[in-house]
Amino acid sequence: MRHLSVLPATSRSASLIHHLQRRWLPTVPASPSYKRPPAKPTTAAAAASSASSAAQKRMAPTPPPLYSSPSSATGPPKSPESPASPSPSAPPPPPSSSPSPQPPPALRDSTRFAGDAERYRGASNLRLGREVRRILAQPVQPEDLEIEPDRGWLYLSEAKYLEILADAFGESWRLEPVTPPLQSPSGRVHYRSYALYVDGRFVSEAIGDVAAAVVETSGDGGAAEIERRCRYAAMVRCCKDLGVATELWDPAVVNKLRAQHFVRPIGKKWMKKG
């Protein structure tokens, strides 16, 4: 009676797998053994050349990588700096002994001398009597008319406007400048704003202007003449709000008055008839 040796389960499994591999798997021929070629004899010159090339390689700087991300080259992205805010526990800074610089004082309303509250004091509070309204609204008399020789514009003289205002208000009116003398960017026009007051109450406001060429050609150039012409132009526009010579603002009436009382000979300028 034979005694069969009982192997552990692990040993039997390994023997079975080894038996199946040898029986069923194809046999792979062994690869020929690799033989290293014989080394070539080196000379002293070749050894020196190889040593110098190795030294040059060690001394050459390492080239940067072809592809590198910004984070790897410059480090992690930095957050935008925000203005430093004082710590809540930190004490407030001591007050400065020197006062902080203040901006230069500017004119009110950019160019005006007086503020709105002061300039428009008493607006719409003026009560005109019947006689005053009659003087202001009286029709224009032909003998008081003036004409611009080149263009044929009809107007009343400065003296006539002063006479009408004096008859209506006496000495209780005044025309007050509310801006400094100004000039257009091109320098061709001078202008200034004025306000008309009666009994200390605001009545009207207008801009008076004059062309620089007109002042130069008239021969009366100068700051005084520019101021007088600007004041007169503003007076005419302010008096329009009071009803003075309003017909001279109507083109139909102006054409009729010009045809009745003025004439322009051929090749000459406008002039009064007779």
Side-chain angles (χ1 to χ4, degrees), residues 106-119 121 176-182 191-195 197 205 227:
L107 293 175
R108 301 172 185 174
D109 267 355
S110 300
T111 56
R112 300 185 181 279
F113 289 141
D116 292 344
E118 181 181 354
R119 185 169 69 256
R121 61 185 180 274
E176 181 179 339
V178 293
T179 67
L182 301 173
Y191 61 96
R192 194 174 189 180
S193 181
Y194 294 82
Y197 294 91
E205 181 180 5
E227 173 69 18

Side-chain angles (χ1 to χ4, degrees), residues 208-226:
D209 57 334
V210 61
V214 174
V215 179
E216 293 173 0
T217 55
S218 63
D220 300 328
E225 180 64 18
I226 292 174

Side-chain angles (χ1 to χ4, degrees), residues 14 37 58 79 91 94 96 100 108 130 141 150 224:
R58 287 195 300 269
S79 59
S96 177
S100 58
R108 301 172 185 174
R130 180 177 299 178
Q141 301 300 319
D150 296 321

Side-chain angles (χ1 to χ4, degrees), residues 145 154 247-248 252-262:
L145 286 174
L154 298 183
E247 58 264 42
L248 297 182
V253 177
V254 170
N255 292 335
K256 183 178 179 180
L257 291 174
R258 185 191 299 114
Q260 290 177 352
H261 305 286
F262 296 90

Side-chain angles (χ1 to χ4, degrees), residues 43-59:
T43 60
S49 176
S50 61
S52 66
S53 61
Q56 290 179 0
K57 290 182 180 180
R58 287 195 300 269
M59 296 176 59

Side-chain angles (χ1 to χ4, degrees), residues 171-208:
E171 298 179 355
S172 62
W173 72 274
R174 75 177 187 273
L175 193 65
E176 181 179 339
V178 293
T179 67
L182 301 173
Q183 195 173 8
S184 64
S186 63
R188 299 178 181 178
V189 178
H190 302 274
Y191 61 96
R192 194 174 189 180
S193 181
Y194 294 82
L196 178 63
Y197 294 91
V198 176
D199 291 334
R201 297 180 176 89
F202 174 84
V203 175
S204 180
E205 181 180 5
I207 295 177

Side-chain angles (χ1 to χ4, degrees), residues 98-184:
S98 60
S100 58
Q102 299 294 333
L107 293 175
R108 301 172 185 174
D109 267 355
S110 300
T111 56
R112 300 185 181 279
F113 289 141
D116 292 344
E118 181 181 354
R119 185 169 69 256
Y120 298 129
R121 61 185 180 274
S124 301
N125 292 332
L126 183 64
R127 299 293 180 265
L128 300 179
R130 180 177 299 178
E131 181 63 18
V132 174
R133 293 198 300 269
R134 185 193 66 81
I135 295 174
L136 296 174
Q138 61 184 337
V140 174
Q141 301 300 319
E143 58 270 17
D144 296 331
L145 286 174
E146 302 287 343
I147 190 169
E148 202 275 330
D150 296 321
R151 303 181 182 180
W153 293 343
L154 298 183
Y155 62 94
L156 295 180
S157 64
E158 181 180 2
K160 187 62 181 178
Y161 280 101
L162 294 175
E163 179 184 344
I164 294 174
L165 291 174
D167 291 345
F169 305 116
E171 298 179 355
S172 62
W173 72 274
R174 75 177 187 273
L175 193 65
E176 181 179 339
V178 293
T179 67
L182 301 173
Q183 195 173 8
S184 64

